[in-house]
Amino acid sequence: MALSSRLWHLLPLRRGATQSFRQLARTWGSRGHCGSEVINTRTFKKGLLFSTLSFLGFETYQVISQAAVVHATAKVEEILEQADYLYESGETEKLYQLLTQYKESEDAELLWRLARASRDIAQLSRTSEEEKKVLVYEALEYAKRALEKNESSFAAHKWYAICISDVGDYEGIKVKIANAYIIKEHFQKAIDLNPKDATSIHLMGIWCYTFAEMPWYQRRIAKVLFANPPSSTYEEALKYFHRAEQVDPNFYSKNLLLLGKTYLKLNNKKLAAFWLVKAKGYPAHTEEDKQIQTEAAQLLTGL
């Protein structure tokens, strides 16, 4: 309707423009200039026809472009649905194969999922050390791109922090400690953006647990390298693990395990046993769940 309305307004202008052009041609002819009225009129008509077709072409281009954007958006949504289904089903390798087809994507939601998938493949026991290192750096690159595309994505912040932590295993103790500040910052950003994401809260708990558990020699190195090295306590870690559980009860077997292990560190065997039993009985959907079941059982035996 908009297109036909615009063309309707163009038609009257065409007649007026032609008449004006004829008058101009006569004037030019009387002054001895080259060219005839017929030739110039035909030229004008061709120019007007070309302009009209160009206008139509632009309108068509806009319609096609808008349709392409809608189609691309629908396709991304479809891919994300497939990816989430495979993730929930524990199909780690199929998920990675699906998402790597779109590794050049500019969509942040797709990229952070690809970072997660790359990391999950790296964590498989059958993945060689050489392959694991490649995948870890690959995951960091995807997470970094996701964050660049959308700084308001809590998941992009979360996975960027996770991937930086993984890379630290290959960069040495100095880089690993320096990165700790960045990691904590992005976990906190993820929590601020989505306080209902239990995983981000859990990961902040792991950050606290890690620095509470830091060996004495690493503490000494940290004090030499940094004026205020990162530090935390088991009590602080426990606070985050409980908070994650309150947001989403039984969401993750590792959160149950770490609740048990943290209570062990605090010499509370009764509560440690309570959470370790829950971790041991957690349904194993992934290889990590199976590993956690085994560790929980071993810790319970030690009690």
Side-chain angles (χ1 to χ4, degrees):
M1 181 63 73
L3 178 58
S4 61
S5 176
R6 291 176 191 174
L7 286 175
W8 176 256
H9 289 296
L10 279 176
L11 291 175
L13 291 175
R14 183 181 173 188
R15 294 194 194 95
T18 304
Q19 291 171 358
S20 298
F21 184 81
R22 283 175 179 165
Q23 292 174 357
L24 182 61
R26 290 194 187 99
T27 303
W28 278 29
S30 65
R31 293 180 182 177
H33 288 283
C34 296
S36 67
E37 177 185 334
V38 175
I39 292 174
N40 288 328
T41 303
R42 286 177 180 172
T43 303
F44 178 81
K45 287 180 178 180
K46 286 181 180 178
L48 185 59
L49 177 61
F50 178 77
S51 298
T52 303
L53 290 174
S54 297
F55 176 81
L56 285 168
F58 177 70
E59 289 287 318
T60 304
Y61 168 77
Q62 284 187 315
V63 172
I64 292 172
S65 297
Q66 290 170 1
V69 170
V70 171
H71 176 72
T73 302
K75 185 177 181 181
V76 169
E77 291 298 324
E78 183 180 332
I79 295 165
L80 295 180
E81 286 182 11
Q82 293 176 22
D84 290 343
Y85 173 78
L86 290 172
Y87 181 75
E88 293 298 329
S89 302
E91 297 285 357
T92 306
E93 291 171 310
K94 288 182 180 179
L95 174 60
Y96 180 73
Q97 290 169 4
L98 169 68
L99 293 178
T100 48
Q101 297 177 65
Y102 309 98
K103 61 183 178 181
E104 302 302 326
S105 172
E106 299 295 312
D107 189 277
E109 291 297 303
L110 199 152
L111 287 168
W112 72 253
R113 284 173 171 81
L114 182 52
R116 180 181 66 183
S118 300
R119 183 181 186 273
D120 286 348
I121 290 289
Q123 297 295 317
L124 295 176
S125 58
R126 57 181 172 274
T127 303
S128 68
E129 285 302 315
E130 293 78 11
E131 291 173 322
K132 181 177 181 178
K133 185 176 180 179
V134 171
L135 287 163
V136 162
Y137 278 94
E138 182 182 294
L140 177 59
E141 183 59 30
Y142 294 138
K144 182 180 179 181
R145 283 173 54 201
L147 195 57
E148 289 171 351
K149 297 302 175 185
N150 186 6
E151 291 189 355
S152 297
S153 169
F154 81 93
H157 282 280
K158 175 171 66 179
W159 286 99
Y160 181 64
I162 292 170
C163 293
I164 289 178
S165 179
D166 289 342
V167 167
D169 293 337
Y170 301 97
E171 300 287 344
I173 185 65
K174 183 177 180 178
V175 174
K176 191 166 188 175
I177 294 173
N179 282 345
Y181 299 100
I182 301 171
I183 292 166
K184 186 177 184 181
E185 177 188 341
H186 284 282
F187 281 150
Q188 187 59 58
K189 186 66 175 178
I191 294 170
D192 292 342
L193 287 167
N194 186 2
K196 295 299 182 181
D197 181 52
T199 307
S200 297
I201 301 168
H202 162 82
L203 291 168
M204 185 66 92
I206 289 182
W207 190 95
C208 297
Y209 185 93
T210 300
F211 284 99
E213 194 181 39
M214 182 183 283
W216 66 268
Y217 64 90
Q218 288 188 0
R219 291 183 188 277
R220 173 176 273 182
I221 294 172
K223 287 180 180 179
V224 170
L225 295 174
F226 304 96
N228 295 304
S231 62
S232 190
T233 64
Y234 289 118
E235 287 83 1
E236 190 174 9
L238 194 65
K239 178 184 71 175
Y240 282 108
F241 294 141
H242 272 298
R243 181 179 166 187
E245 205 62 30
Q246 289 167 359
V247 168
D248 191 1
N250 296 314
F251 75 103
Y252 188 24
S253 58
K254 192 169 185 177
N255 198 63
L256 302 175
L257 176 69
L258 283 168
L259 276 163
K261 291 176 72 171
T262 307
Y263 274 116
L264 276 179
K265 294 289 185 180
L266 295 171
N267 296 313
N268 190 329
K269 293 185 178 181
K270 183 178 180 180
L271 284 175
F274 173 80
W275 290 106
L276 290 173
V277 167
K278 288 177 72 71
K280 181 184 175 183
Y282 191 91
H285 298 295
T286 65
E287 187 172 319
E288 183 186 36
D289 290 334
K290 294 176 184 177
Q291 293 170 355
I292 285 168
Q293 283 181 341
T294 301
E295 185 176 355
Q298 291 172 346
L299 290 170
L300 284 167
T301 302
L303 290 175

